[in-house]
Amino acid sequence: MEKIPRDRFLIIIGAMKSGTTALFDKLERTSNICSPIGDKEPHYFSLKCGEFNYDDLWDYDPNNHSWALEASTTYTMHPRIKGVAGRMRDYGIDPKLYYILRNPLDRIVSECNFCRGKTWSDQSLTITDAHFHTVSNYFVQLEEFRKVWPNKKITLLDFEELKTHSDDMLKRICHDLEVAYTPIEFREEYKHKTKIPTRAQDLAYRYKFIRKAANALLPASVRRGINNLPLLGNRQKVELSEKDKDYLHETLAEDMRRLKESYGFPVEKWGF
């Protein structure tokens, strides 16, 4: 059942470790914006499409709400996760999309350290692994949405501006959304923090028969316990060597060129 108008979905599509939680936190405290009942990242169109009604993620009241907000960063993880935009279209929604871009090398370091600290993440991944740098191929990620919606406006936001001039950014967004602007302070602790799929979850999301078997054989309490194990990963922070920087710069250069050429984003400030 459609509870929410098809053009009233507001989705922050990424990029992971680029301030999506901070932006979500501000927007969910803005008038007329409804946040999900559960996690800010339902991963519906990347990992769970068809398992339940997307509209049921929100307690949406058309008398009080103008937008249904979510922020699943797995929506811009092509080619690891494919077909997100097509599933959105096929579901029948016409969402407003926001995409936060961060210095791609800084983003890679942040994601790598974030993942290495998790119990079930792949500890064999290195900082130059394609697992990380493909998420920083911002132009490629945008093209996946352009293939489905050639003329759709996708608003690009700057991570640095979010950090230094968040109120100015929020004013523009509120104007774009036609909702009232109210200054909102950053919170030291966010209600919704980014969670990454564990290795077991990743396999289950990719192969539905694994998820169906786990749901059938394991009690919910056991499944929750596995997902909530304490952080036993590698807590040692990694940094980019000069060799790493050179490799990633060369690997990302073409994508950055096309991002600048097609969207006018100032990639030169990142050294490209």
Side-chain angles (χ1 to χ4, degrees):
M1 178 176 142
E2 295 182 2
K3 301 189 301 184
I4 304 170
R6 301 296 87 183
D7 62 350
R8 294 284 99 185
F9 292 95
L10 171 60
I11 305 179
I12 303 169
I13 56 175
M16 183 179 181
K17 306 309 293 180
S18 297
T20 57
T21 301
L23 180 59
F24 179 95
D25 181 73
K26 279 184 171 282
L27 287 175
E28 76 163 344
R29 290 185 282 155
T30 300
S31 61
N32 304 115
I33 293 180
C34 183
S35 59
I37 296 170
D39 196 277
K40 76 178 176 73
E41 300 188 54
H43 304 298
Y44 187 81
F45 295 106
S46 51
L47 307 172
K48 301 178 182 179
C49 194
E51 293 187 6
F52 50 85
N53 188 341
Y54 184 58
D55 293 51
D56 290 342
L57 289 167
W58 293 269
D59 187 14
Y60 187 92
D61 180 355
N63 295 316
N64 296 316
H65 299 130
S66 300
W67 298 96
L69 170 69
E70 67 132 308
S72 298
T73 57
T74 50
Y75 293 167
T76 47
M77 289 189 176
H78 180 84
R80 180 185 175 196
I81 298 173
K82 300 178 180 179
V84 169
R87 285 189 285 275
M88 289 181 180
R89 175 202 58 204
D90 294 344
Y91 194 85
I93 67 170
D94 182 19
K96 185 176 284 290
L97 304 176
Y98 287 90
Y99 191 27
I100 312 177
L101 307 186
R102 181 181 184 180
N103 181 314
L105 272 62
D106 291 345
R107 196 213 65 78
I108 288 169
V109 172
S110 181
E111 183 188 356
C112 182
N113 284 318
F114 178 77
C115 292
R116 283 166 58 87
K118 300 300 180 182
T119 305
W120 292 98
S121 64
D122 188 346
Q123 299 296 315
S124 68
L125 291 174
T126 65
I127 202 164
T128 56
D129 195 279
H131 176 90
F132 299 119
H133 67 66
T134 53
V135 179
S136 283
N137 279 326
Y138 302 138
F139 177 82
V140 168
Q141 304 301 335
L142 286 163
E143 280 298 284
E144 291 303 301
F145 287 85
R146 291 288 180 218
K147 290 174 185 176
V148 174
W149 290 300
N151 300 315
K152 174 176 282 295
K153 176 186 176 183
I154 303 175
T155 301
L156 304 186
L157 303 174
D158 191 329
F159 173 78
E160 288 302 320
E161 184 185 6
L162 178 62
K163 284 179 60 180
T164 58
H165 297 92
S166 61
D167 282 344
D168 292 339
M169 178 181 287
L170 188 61
K171 284 178 185 176
R172 292 201 313 274
I173 292 174
C174 287
H175 182 268
D176 184 41
L177 299 177
E178 298 182 335
V179 299
Y181 163 74
T182 303
I184 296 173
E185 297 294 327
F186 273 120
R187 290 195 277 212
E188 291 187 9
E189 283 293 324
Y190 296 122
K191 177 182 175 183
H192 301 277
K193 293 185 178 180
T194 296
K195 298 177 183 178
I196 58 167
T198 65
R199 294 178 72 182
Q201 288 173 319
D202 189 40
L203 286 173
Y205 292 147
R206 289 167 184 256
Y207 305 104
K208 287 189 176 181
F209 72 91
I210 296 178
R211 182 161 70 255
K212 289 180 179 178
N215 289 338
L217 299 174
L218 298 177
S221 58
V222 173
R223 298 198 302 271
R224 285 194 299 270
I226 292 173
N227 289 338
N228 295 324
L229 283 173
L231 302 185
L232 301 175
N234 188 342
R235 306 302 292 167
Q236 183 177 355
K237 300 288 186 181
V238 297
E239 297 180 357
L240 287 174
S241 67
E242 290 304 315
K243 182 179 179 181
D244 293 336
K245 291 177 184 177
D246 290 344
Y247 170 77
L248 290 171
H249 195 280
E250 181 179 354
T251 301
L252 296 167
E254 178 60 16
D255 187 90
M256 294 295 111
R257 182 191 68 78
R258 298 180 76 186
L259 181 67
K260 169 73 173 180
E261 184 178 89
S262 298
Y263 295 92
F265 200 87
V267 300
E268 59 274 9
K269 68 179 183 175
W270 296 334
F272 289 93

